Amino acid sequence: MSVPIKAAIEKVPGGMMLVPLLVGAVLATVAPGTADFFGSFTGGLLTGSTPILAVFYVCMGASIDLRATPYILKKGGALFGAKVLLAVVIGVVAGQFMSELPVQGGFLAGLSVLALVAAFSDTNGGLYMALMGQYGKPKDVAAYSIMTIESGPFLTMLILGVAGLSAFPWQALVGALIPLVLGMVLGSLDPAMRKFLSAASPVLIFFFGLALGFGISLQTVLSAGLVGVLLGLVVLFLGGAVLFLADRLTGGTGLGGLAASSTAGNAAAVPMLVAAANPAYEEAAGPATVLVSAAIVVTSIGTPLIVAWYARYLQAKKSGGDTSSTAAVAVEGAGNGASR
């Protein structure tokens, strides 16, 4: 008996990423101790998003033509600049109405400048690379090597006016580049290695989605309430619009900008790190952590849906209105491991 599991998943917009992500999130919500209980390979499967992503980065690097380096700088720089500039504007504007303390009452209770900046200033790199690996070009995936500068509390502290309390994490930036460079070197030296490694990328997307989902509890949305959900939606749509425009202005289709319209999972740790560096934010750190966590959940689900919808739109437009193509078909012929 044959069950069309793959075909069913691909009918869901962004299904190869979204479906395993939702499965992991549901499991993390109803049985959060699963990974610890079983341990071993099962635990590794559910909690190994970082090593899975590292391997994914090597495989995508093998698909990249070294001549694409200027493109990577342009694309990554545009998305990074737009993301940070938006966070700066939001931080400055919100700072005119709020202090370091969170809102104490009313509908926006718990909201703070810290929560806003942390949610807007860091992109979910794994989600971006997985989505661009499925719908974009290998060199679009590599653009995240520039956006890794967003990671951690450094930019949040800078935007909040406490720069100097955290040194620039250059080691993390170099560490993020090494797997990519390794893949690029292997693919450039041996076409057979390029074909071998690049073919693994779609498979890794599926398993990365599962591991990413297991790090998300759906209870977070409930505990954050409507404010947390709204924060996630604002990040998704306002951030997505700004990044979409930046991508289009630099010659892209806008797909990369939409894929970067999320909040990174590690952004949930930023409020506490900022408070540790500056006690003025201690009262805001707790509520901000909950709100940022809600934004992570909302954008982790919403970003793949929007990207898949737009990819389908571009594909239909390219084929003259033929909507029979599934969203799993790469917009510009990517996803087959060929270098661009």
Side-chain angles (χ1 to χ4, degrees), residues 13-257:
M16 279 299 173
M17 178 72 185
L18 185 59
V19 170
L21 184 146
L22 289 175
V23 170
V26 170
L27 184 60
T29 303
V30 301
T34 302
D36 292 333
F37 180 79
F38 288 103
S40 189
F41 300 122
T42 300
L45 182 66
L46 295 174
T47 62
S49 59
T50 299
I52 292 173
L53 191 58
V55 176
F56 174 77
Y57 219 5
V58 174
C59 294
M60 289 308 302
S63 304
I64 298 170
D65 191 328
L66 288 173
R67 292 171 296 181
T69 301
Y71 177 93
I72 294 172
L73 293 174
K74 182 179 73 171
K75 169 80 78 172
L79 296 180
F80 168 75
K83 188 91 171 183
V84 174
L85 180 60
L86 177 61
V88 169
V89 171
I90 289 174
V92 171
V93 172
Q96 301 301 310
F97 303 94
M98 293 184 283
S99 66
E100 295 88 351
L101 301 177
V103 176
Q104 299 298 319
F107 176 73
L108 298 177
L111 187 65
S112 63
V113 181
L114 175 59
L116 289 169
V117 173
F120 272 94
S121 62
D122 198 352
T123 299
N124 187 325
L127 190 60
Y128 170 84
M129 288 188 284
L131 289 171
M132 294 312 293
Q134 184 173 0
Y135 299 116
K137 302 175 183 178
K139 57 186 180 181
D140 288 325
V141 176
Y144 182 69
S145 60
I146 306 300
M147 292 187 282
T148 54
I149 301 173
E150 300 169 1
S151 299
F154 176 76
L155 281 176
T156 301
M157 292 178 179
L158 188 63
I159 295 170
L160 291 171
V162 292
L165 296 178
S166 177
F168 184 77
W170 66 267
Q171 297 95 331
L173 178 59
V174 173
L177 288 172
I178 290 175
L180 173 70
V181 173
L182 175 61
M184 292 174 67
V185 171
L186 289 173
S188 298
L189 293 177
D190 185 359
M193 284 297 292
R194 170 173 292 174
K195 181 178 180 181
F196 170 69
L197 291 172
S198 60
S201 297
V203 178
L204 291 169
I205 289 174
F206 182 88
F207 288 104
F208 172 74
L210 177 64
L212 178 64
F214 191 73
I216 299 172
S217 174
L218 297 178
Q219 291 177 341
T220 300
V221 177
L222 297 177
S223 63
L226 186 58
V227 176
V229 174
L230 288 177
L231 176 59
L233 291 175
V234 172
V235 171
L236 184 64
F237 290 106
L238 176 59
V242 171
L243 290 164
F244 176 86
L245 181 61
D247 192 11
R248 290 299 302 269
L249 290 176
T250 53
T253 63
L255 200 63

Side-chain angles (χ1 to χ4, degrees), residues 246-304:
D247 192 11
R248 290 299 302 269
L249 290 176
T250 53
T253 63
L255 200 63
L258 294 177
S261 62
S262 61
T263 299
N266 60 16
V270 168
M272 291 298 183
L273 293 173
V274 171
N278 189 339
Y281 292 96
E282 283 183 356
E283 189 171 340
T289 299
V290 175
L291 293 176
V292 172
S293 296
I296 293 167
V297 175
V298 172
T299 57
S300 292
I301 295 173
T303 298

